[in-house]
Amino acid sequence: MQKTLSDLPQIQTLLGLPTIADVIARFSHAETADALREIIAGLRADLRAGRAPLFPDFQSMEFAEALSARIEVARAPSLTPVINATGILIHTNLGRARMAPQAIAAMQATGAAASNLEFDLATGKRGSRHSHVEHLICTLTGAEAAVVVNNCAAAVLLGLMGTANGRSVVASRGELIEIGGSFRLPDVIAQSGATLREVGTTNKTRVDDYARAIDADTAVLLKSHTSNFKIVGFTAAPDRRDLARLAAQHDVILMEDLGSGVLIDLSPYGLPDEPVVADILKSGVDLVMFSGDKLLGGPQAGIIAGRADIVADLKAHPLMRALRVDKSSLAALEATLRLYLPPFDPVQTIPVLQMLSAPLAQVESRAITLTDALTAKGVSGVALHESAAYVGGGSLPDQALPSFAVSLRMPDVSAQKLTAALRAQKTPVIGRIERDQVMLDMRTVWDAELPAIVAAVEQINRR
Ligand SMILES: *Cc1c(COP(=O)(O)O)cnc(C)c1O
């Protein structure tokens, strides 16, 4: 007989069934009730839409098992590792920088035990969490002092709040950036309590433009890295040394939001335009901010480095505690920064820099290995292509890195369907679509990840 809305059982009644009591005992009352509500809602929607749904036998073992399976699926971890085959080295949506084993070990160790996070082992008195990485940052950048907060956005906010609250910040119209996630520099300046004085034009700003805007209210000249776009052609931006001289003359602070912030020269690896933090500080910038998980290759963190008097003020700021870095990130950051010091070679040990610096032949051989492995498993429609990888993470939008990709094409399966199937695997594989085929870029993939890719593609191919 055709079922109607009045045939739908009450959730309370279902929860009282002996078979369902077993499900509650295995999981929880809340999860079981949620799953039942979803099932009943589905049936109700079908009835309302005039689709005659098949009612399960609510008292059966089969129904209890299906319910358990549903709760099991809902319990699956949400945040999970994936394989980044996009060719974007620092992919914001895929968790940005992957970390070095040393950084992961440090997080694990400080997570599993008590630590001297804010305890001075020499005196037995209260210590400062800022102490653990400050000397390393200073060694690596030449800064007088440094402090670390939650991320670079927090670093910029704190830097401005601590120096320009109630006063004005002078910035070039060509550098009023928006990066993802609602970080818009003019809005951040406003939230810091400062007033923005825009100077120059979109494409050209000169030292004189800054000079004319300085008055008794001015606290900061702010430069920022135009991380995710590039203005080309008829352009001008002042030399940092000239701006530093101007700032010193007027006793205002020259601050720079570097975004990525690199600690070593990356020009040998095809990134000639990314200034090194130490050089920026040497040119007279008073305070710089940069991310821990972009080209630095560590955990999410925001590093503030520069003049000791300014850093001391920021450490004492009332909102420091709201923005401070947590112990796991601090542990990972310390371990990552150590990899920049001898005997280590950061380019050999920090994953982001390894991907960046990998010789093209190595990327090609990875692509050949994958192509051969897939072909050996009977997967057809696999081909090798020259490709372009990018740094990503809002860094260096026009710097293509030579790479190799493996393309996949399956009969009667659209590229969209194929990427969806790759995402649905136990270890999701994230590729990109180009000219109607799925591309798996090998510059961002590790050799150790190839077997999981082969298993994923083979599984899809078998269906
Ligand atoms: C990425 C970026 C930020 C924000 O850094 P997060 O670490 O993501 O908070 C700020 N400014 C610039 C110029 C950036 O590129």
Side-chain angles (χ1 to χ4, degrees):
M1 204 178 57
Q2 191 87 21
K3 300 280 188 187
T4 67
L5 284 171
S6 62
D7 294 317
L8 286 173
Q10 298 286 323
I11 305 286
Q12 277 314 317
T13 314
L14 294 177
L15 286 167
L17 295 172
T19 45
I20 304 298
D22 291 343
V23 179
I24 294 173
R26 202 173 139 204
F27 298 98
S28 68
H29 190 277
E31 289 166 293
T32 311
D34 277 350
L36 287 170
R37 249 179 245 118
E38 273 174 31
I39 291 168
I40 299 296
L43 292 171
R44 186 179 296 120
D46 281 350
L47 288 169
R48 289 224 167 105
R51 299 183 290 264
L54 213 55
F55 271 41
D57 175 1
F58 292 105
Q59 313 207 18
S60 67
M61 281 309 293
E62 287 72 37
F63 179 70
E65 268 156 30
L67 190 64
S68 299
R70 195 179 180 107
I71 299 171
E72 205 80 78
V73 169
R75 269 196 179 188
S78 171
L79 184 59
T80 175
V82 305
I83 293 173
N84 174 10
T86 62
I88 312 288
L89 275 60
I90 306 166
H91 198 302
T92 302
N93 303 140
L94 302 182
R96 296 229 279 226
R98 54 168 101 181
M99 287 188 268
Q102 290 88 339
I104 294 155
M107 285 178 104
Q108 206 153 20
T110 41
S115 65
N116 62 336
L117 181 65
E118 294 186 349
F119 184 74
D120 187 332
L121 290 171
T123 61
K125 296 214 171 73
R126 190 197 161 97
S128 161
R129 76 174 59 210
H130 306 312
S131 65
H132 304 291
V133 290
E134 182 166 18
H135 65 286
L136 273 169
I137 298 169
C138 293
T139 304
L140 291 166
T141 63
E144 290 174 9
V147 65
V148 180
V149 290
N150 180 56
N151 57 13
C152 186
V156 175
L157 178 65
L158 181 67
L160 291 169
M161 282 192 306
T163 57
N165 191 352
R167 300 182 62 194
S168 75
V169 171
V170 180
S172 162
R173 289 198 167 87
E175 296 179 354
L176 293 174
I177 52 168
E178 168 174 331
I179 55 168
S182 78
F183 182 97
R184 308 181 100 190
L185 204 50
D187 297 344
V188 175
I189 293 170
Q191 289 297 324
S192 76
T195 310
L196 169 62
R197 287 284 311 264
E198 292 179 34
V199 296
T201 63
T202 309
N203 54 325
K204 284 206 172 197
T205 303
R206 302 185 180 82
V207 178
D208 286 351
D209 296 317
Y210 288 87
R212 272 196 301 277
I214 296 177
D215 59 22
D217 258 357
T218 309
V220 167
L221 308 185
L222 178 65
K223 269 189 72 61
S224 42
H225 194 294
T226 54
S227 305
N228 51 6
F229 69 98
K230 190 145 198 163
I231 297 174
V232 293
F234 189 58
T235 63
D239 190 83
R240 284 189 187 83
R241 283 171 208 284
D242 296 333
L243 272 185
R245 208 168 300 126
L246 179 70
Q249 265 165 24
H250 294 273
D251 196 22
V252 300
I253 294 166
L254 178 59
M255 200 179 278
E256 185 160 351
D257 172 12
L258 293 173
S260 202
V262 303
L263 298 180
I264 55 167
D265 179 16
L266 295 178
S267 53
Y269 313 109
L271 303 183
D273 299 326
E274 196 63 16
V276 176
V277 176
D279 292 339
I280 290 170
L281 288 171
K282 217 179 284 164
S283 67
V285 175
D286 296 304
L287 201 69
V288 295
M289 295 89 168
F290 52 100
S291 289
D293 59 346
K294 289 184 179 171
L295 280 167
L296 195 144
Q300 178 186 310
I303 297 165
I304 304 175
R307 247 168 60 189
D309 58 332
I310 307 173
V311 171
D313 286 348
L314 299 183
K315 282 179 183 168
H317 193 278
L319 283 182
M320 179 69 214
R321 188 180 175 116
L323 303 175
R324 72 188 183 184
V325 67
D326 83 291
K327 66 178 175 189
S328 317
S329 305
L330 199 53
L333 183 63
E334 181 180 356
T336 306
L337 291 172
R338 284 195 195 291
L339 297 176
Y340 281 90
L341 292 172
F344 298 105
D345 177 0
V347 166
Q348 298 298 327
T349 50
I350 294 177
V352 167
L353 301 180
Q354 283 175 295
M355 287 181 201
L356 183 71
S357 64
L360 186 57
Q362 188 185 327
V363 180
E364 180 178 21
S365 109
R366 189 175 296 141
I368 292 170
T369 305
L370 179 60
T371 310
D372 290 351
L374 287 172
T375 309
K377 295 281 183 191
V379 181
S380 57
V382 183
L384 194 78
H385 299 263
E386 284 182 9
S387 160
Y390 291 88
V391 172
S395 308
L396 313 156
D398 62 340
Q399 300 276 357
L401 306 163
S403 186
F404 275 90
V406 175
S407 69
L408 302 176
R409 218 199 282 255
M410 286 186 192
D412 306 324
V413 185
S414 70
Q416 260 78 15
K417 278 233 172 74
L418 189 49
T419 49
L422 286 167
R423 288 198 306 273
Q425 295 298 308
K426 188 159 153 280
T427 305
V429 180
I430 318 295
R432 58 171 200 265
I433 297 176
E434 243 171 55
R435 280 171 274 113
D436 253 3
Q437 46 189 352
V438 176
M439 291 284 186
L440 303 178
D441 196 293
M442 290 297 113
R443 189 170 278 283
T444 51
V445 166
W446 268 190
D447 287 339
E449 292 172 325
L450 293 181
I453 299 181
V454 173
V457 176
E458 198 194 355
Q459 166 99 20
I460 297 165
N461 190 49
R462 234 186 281 130
R463 286 203 296 251

